[in-house]
Amino acid sequence: MASPTATVPRHMALLVLVLAAASARLASAAGACAAEKFPAGKTYATCSDLPQLGAALHWTYDEAKSSLSVAFVAAPAGPNGWVAWALNPTGEGMAGAQALVALKGSSSAPAVKTYNITGYVPLGGASTPIAFPATELAADAGSGGKIRLYGKLQLKKGMKAVNQVWQVGTSVTGGAPDKHAFAAGNLAAKAKLVLSGKATAPAPAPAAMAGGPAGPAGSVGGAGAATTPAAGKSANAAATVGVSSVAGVALALMGFLAVL
């Protein structure tokens, strides 16, 4: 029979292993986006790891004011490339998208421009007005070579859900984003952003930016995923649930050890 002095260390080791597993589960449940650390003064109610291109969206929607504050985080496809995030109130692809673009280029800080994507044609070096008045535009460098693109959009009153698309590119020429790749991930970089209530996923449509050719509707990719506050967890809510679970496991094991 094992002695008490041998049994207790084994149970302590079990406690450590269970707590480690619970902590890992908590991190997974919260999502990678929840670990993003923004500069002081930039906080967001909700975040979601987007399904393509390793991107994430953080946002706060003020329904009373119809304003949407966002931080889009993604790595450009090249060291001097660009990242873009857009809302499309009229379609499911890139044509019609109202885009925010952060261009790294050769400067130290990414420049932010707005583009009204009217078709699959090259974009110029100057911003164009977009349907949603944009303020607080900025960008900075995140970890792992990522760019963090910030902005605040004034949406239409009563808007509950809207299509979103995003892209990354390898290079910038003349202050304009060069054409991006047309791999499966690029073409599937779209989803429904649910601001409030429920919405269905959009039908298949290719998402192309910066001079990409248009494809037949539904010819590439599947239905877009829905990005909702439930799927894109509130970091605070996920942490609260996870910490409660970890604490429960710890207390149960401590009680078990106490009776040995």
Side-chain angles (χ1 to χ4, degrees):
M1 180 180 295
S3 67
T5 56
T7 302
V8 172
R10 283 203 295 270
H11 285 295
M12 290 301 294
L14 175 61
L15 174 60
V16 171
L17 288 173
V18 170
L19 290 177
S23 298
R25 185 175 181 180
L26 168 60
S28 176
C33 65
E36 190 72 38
K37 303 298 183 184
F38 291 107
K42 292 190 181 296
T43 58
Y44 302 91
T46 308
C47 76
S48 176
D49 294 307
L50 297 174
Q52 303 294 337
L53 305 179
L57 182 70
H58 303 250
W59 78 94
T60 298
Y61 179 57
D62 187 333
E63 189 168 5
K65 297 181 179 179
S66 300
S67 66
L68 178 66
S69 298
V70 300
F72 173 72
V73 183
N80 294 318
W82 54 269
V83 303
W85 175 84
L87 295 180
N88 191 337
T90 61
E92 295 155 355
M94 191 56 70
Q98 309 299 298
L100 307 180
V101 184
L103 307 101
K104 193 168 183 182
S106 57
S107 63
S108 56
V112 179
K113 297 182 180 181
T114 62
Y115 290 100
N116 178 7
I117 312 296
T118 57
Y120 297 95
V121 295
L123 300 177
S127 291
T128 57
I130 59 176
F132 306 114
T135 57
E136 302 179 17
L137 297 177
D140 62 19
S143 62
K146 294 181 177 180
I147 292 177
R148 302 185 296 194
L149 169 60
Y150 308 103
K152 185 175 182 179
L153 300 177
Q154 186 62 45
L155 305 185
K156 306 297 182 184
K157 191 172 182 62
M159 184 174 284
K160 301 296 184 183
V162 62
N163 294 319
Q164 62 172 331
V165 290
W166 60 97
Q167 277 299 337
V168 299
T170 58
S171 59
V172 176
T173 301
D178 292 326
K179 185 167 63 176
H180 63 76
F182 288 88
N186 298 90
L187 296 173
K190 59 186 184 291
K192 178 80 75 177
L193 177 62
V194 179
L195 302 169
S196 60
K198 297 180 179 180
T200 56
M209 177 180 272
S219 62
V220 180
T227 302
T228 67
K233 302 177 188 296
S234 163
N236 292 335
T240 300
V241 173
V243 169
S244 298
S245 300
V246 173
V249 172
L251 288 173
L253 281 173
M254 289 174 66
F256 176 70
L257 291 172
V259 300
L260 291 177

